[in-house]
Amino acid sequence: MNVDRITEKLNILADAAKYDVSCASSGSKRKNENKGLGNASNGICHSYTEDGRCVSLLKILLTNHCIFDCAYCVSRKNNDIQRAAFTVQEVVDLTINFYRRNYIEGLFLSSGIFKDADYTMERLVRIAKKLRTEHKFNGYIHLKSIPGASDELMNEAGLYADRLSVNLEMPTEAGLKLLAPDKNQADMIKPMGYIRNAIIQRTEEKKLFKKAPIFAPAGQSTQVIIGATPENDNEVLHSANYFYKNFNLRRVYYSGYVPVLADSRLPALNTSVPMVRENRLYQADWLMRFYGFKVNEIVNDSQPNLDLDIDPKLSWAIRNMQAFPVNINKADLQMILRVPGIGLLSAQKIVKARMFGKLNWDQLKKMGVALNRAKYFVTCNSNEFERRDLTGSNIKQFILATSQSKYLKNTQVQLSLF
């Protein structure tokens, strides 16, 4: 092995992979059997597991050569950059050697497209297969599925990978056509449909046959780039909601466009998407998936963009003051979840604890409720803090005056060409 050349490739292809943010994961419990290597656990790629551990993975591209010329991609074929490609065995050796040195606990592998989708996907699958069958590697493996790859390769990928994902890249088909005219959104949706159906089928088989092979146990995810095209938050979240409902996605990742290339179709090089917009989209996504909010409650045609000053739940509450105050000792769980400052775990604690007596402010605080927000929207077994004569705008100003957000510091406005 030429160590210097491998190191050079690693520097190039790890750097090229940094723009893909969809590497965090959960849901896989691949057990170590037959004295193999590693265990897939609840989190990956510098994420925190439920028990507080921080875990990491080797995150690289197989190659940054690509036949496509997507305006937003640093690896586009007409971009003058240093190119490199790993062999199948090089990626396998790197993964095993890094794992044995305790550098990583898994692999996140994506790739530019060599000749065509099948040619590239076949190599990704070979890497996962070698790790599983030859080295008995039981650590986490996340493979990026190549749009246009055959069903046979997608099926084999699901047998060896914990998670599969296909990047939608742009929130809408119109945005994709603008910046990547050689690509077709239908080619991206097809493998997502196959993965969804295969996961459902294998789940049913597992109910009948205990030793039926698992298929992508951590499910599938996708990533969309925001800010490179003119879609507003309403369009972005409706697109995400469609794929959640129709393809059983575990996660949609929102990646703020990083200006890396000069192109008349893209925002200027010296601007970037404010991090707070990316953060608000994740907060809205969380409300959709875990708090029972519908997309139209968060954003709609009359309010197409999320409020950057305050989080989406607080924004909804201020627009719907007629729903408050909520009696914390009587309201159902779904209504308590809509109160700003009350999270999922705190809401569940409230419902359980009030069975033993009426709750007051001190007890709510001990349960993790953020009283600086919640006090304007609830009543409890105490009159302290109650200010029922305040308007939504008054409440917003009070909360902003006492809040500090790292995302709002040095926020710059992205220049628009749209």
Side-chain angles (χ1 to χ4, degrees):
M1 179 186 293
N2 187 329
V3 176
D4 291 339
R5 179 55 182 156
I6 293 295
T7 302
E8 182 182 15
K9 288 182 182 182
L10 189 58
N11 288 333
I12 295 169
L13 297 173
D15 183 71
K18 69 184 179 183
Y19 298 103
D20 197 321
V21 300
S22 57
C23 56
S25 185
S26 61
S28 180
K29 295 182 179 179
R30 189 182 295 272
K31 294 183 179 180
N32 190 334
E33 298 177 349
N34 300 322
K35 298 181 180 180
L37 291 172
N39 285 287
S41 57
N42 290 328
I44 211 71
C45 190
H46 296 288
S47 290
Y48 289 92
T49 60
E50 291 180 351
D51 59 2
R53 293 183 303 110
C54 180
V55 292
S56 58
L57 82 169
L58 177 61
K59 180 181 178 183
I60 55 173
L61 298 184
L62 179 61
T63 181
N64 63 346
H65 291 276
C66 194
I67 62 174
F68 291 117
D69 196 31
C70 307
Y72 50 83
C73 183
V74 70
S75 298
R76 61 188 287 187
K77 67 179 180 181
N78 286 328
N79 194 22
D80 185 17
I81 59 171
Q82 193 173 10
R83 305 285 179 172
F86 284 120
T87 65
V88 169
Q89 192 59 47
E90 285 172 343
V91 177
V92 171
D93 291 341
L94 279 171
T95 304
I96 296 301
N97 288 330
F98 278 20
Y99 179 83
R100 284 176 171 159
R101 287 168 173 78
N102 203 30
Y103 295 160
I104 61 168
E105 294 184 63
L107 171 67
F108 175 91
L109 185 61
S110 185
S111 182
I113 300 177
F114 285 103
K115 295 180 180 179
D116 54 45
D118 279 351
Y119 184 87
T120 306
M121 192 68 200
E122 188 268 339
R123 278 151 181 75
L124 297 180
V125 171
R126 279 173 56 196
I127 290 168
K129 185 175 182 179
K130 276 177 144 313
L131 286 168
R132 296 296 193 209
T133 60
E134 294 182 16
H135 296 274
K136 308 300 180 186
F137 181 71
N138 292 287
Y140 181 87
I141 296 179
H142 182 157
L143 289 185
K144 278 290 179 181
S145 304
I146 306 300
S150 68
D151 290 349
E152 291 77 13
L153 284 170
M154 294 301 301
N155 180 68
E156 196 170 9
L159 297 177
Y160 301 115
D162 293 282
R163 173 167 288 187
L164 296 172
S165 59
V166 184
N167 281 357
L168 287 171
E169 301 185 9
M170 294 296 120
T172 63
E173 188 172 7
L176 187 67
K177 286 296 182 185
L178 174 67
L179 300 183
D182 295 336
K183 288 187 175 179
N184 188 338
Q185 193 178 69
D187 289 337
M188 300 172 179
I189 294 176
K190 183 175 178 289
M192 294 174 75
Y194 181 86
I195 295 169
R196 173 202 59 201
N197 294 336
I199 291 174
I200 293 172
Q201 179 183 342
R202 295 305 170 88
T203 301
E204 292 302 314
E205 289 176 356
K206 199 72 176 175
K207 294 177 182 177
L208 299 174
F209 307 102
K210 185 177 180 180
K211 293 187 178 182
I214 58 176
F215 186 93
Q220 66 170 323
S221 61
T222 192
Q223 172 179 290
V224 293
I225 300 170
I226 57 170
T229 46
E231 292 93 354
N232 55 41
D233 294 337
N234 186 27
E235 293 172 293
V236 172
L237 289 174
H238 269 94
S239 175
N241 186 59
Y242 170 82
F243 284 97
Y244 274 130
K245 285 186 174 181
N246 292 283
F247 296 91
N248 298 337
L249 295 187
R250 289 289 183 89
R251 287 289 301 274
V252 174
Y253 292 87
Y254 307 94
S255 176
Y257 172 66
V258 179
V260 292
L261 299 168
D263 192 293
S264 60
R265 295 167 291 175
L266 294 168
L269 281 175
N270 60 343
T271 64
S272 59
V273 176
M275 186 179 291
V276 66
R277 184 187 178 197
E278 190 177 312
N279 184 48
R280 296 299 182 224
L281 283 167
Y282 277 114
Q283 290 173 328
D285 185 277
W286 207 259
L287 294 181
M288 290 158 47
R289 291 192 294 138
F290 299 110
Y291 286 76
F293 281 80
K294 296 179 180 178
V295 183
N296 287 333
E297 294 179 292
I298 303 170
V299 285
N300 47 55
D301 292 337
S302 61
Q303 185 168 344
N305 289 306
L306 297 167
D307 193 330
L308 298 185
D309 292 335
I310 55 177
D311 67 82
K313 189 199 278 193
L314 178 57
S315 179
W316 176 85
I318 287 173
R319 297 195 310 271
N320 294 272
M321 290 300 294
Q322 73 279 0
F324 301 100
V326 169
N327 187 328
I328 211 72
N329 289 300
K330 295 181 179 180
D332 60 26
L333 177 63
Q334 285 306 117
M335 193 60 218
I336 294 174
L337 284 171
R338 289 176 174 253
V339 176
I342 299 182
L344 188 61
L345 293 178
S346 296
Q348 292 169 344
K349 289 178 183 178
I350 288 169
V351 173
K352 291 178 181 178
R354 69 188 185 184
M355 296 171 61
F356 303 97
K358 293 185 176 181
L359 304 177
N360 58 37
W361 295 115
D362 289 336
Q363 291 168 322
L364 293 178
K365 186 175 182 180
K366 290 178 182 178
M367 292 178 189
V369 173
L371 292 185
N372 65 322
R373 293 167 181 258
K375 65 185 180 183
Y376 300 107
F377 301 97
V378 302
T379 58
C380 62
N381 194 31
S382 173
N383 292 324
E384 188 183 359
F385 299 138
E386 291 189 13
R387 298 178 180 178
R388 299 295 157 235
D389 57 336
L390 294 178
T391 65
S393 59
N394 292 147
I395 292 172
K396 178 178 178 179
Q397 292 306 314
F398 275 119
I399 292 175
L400 285 176
T402 58
S403 298
Q404 292 183 344
S405 173
K406 64 181 180 179
Y407 298 106
L408 291 174
K409 294 179 181 178
N410 302 320
T411 299
Q412 65 180 50
V413 177
Q414 185 186 30
L415 298 181
S416 177
L417 297 181
F418 312 123

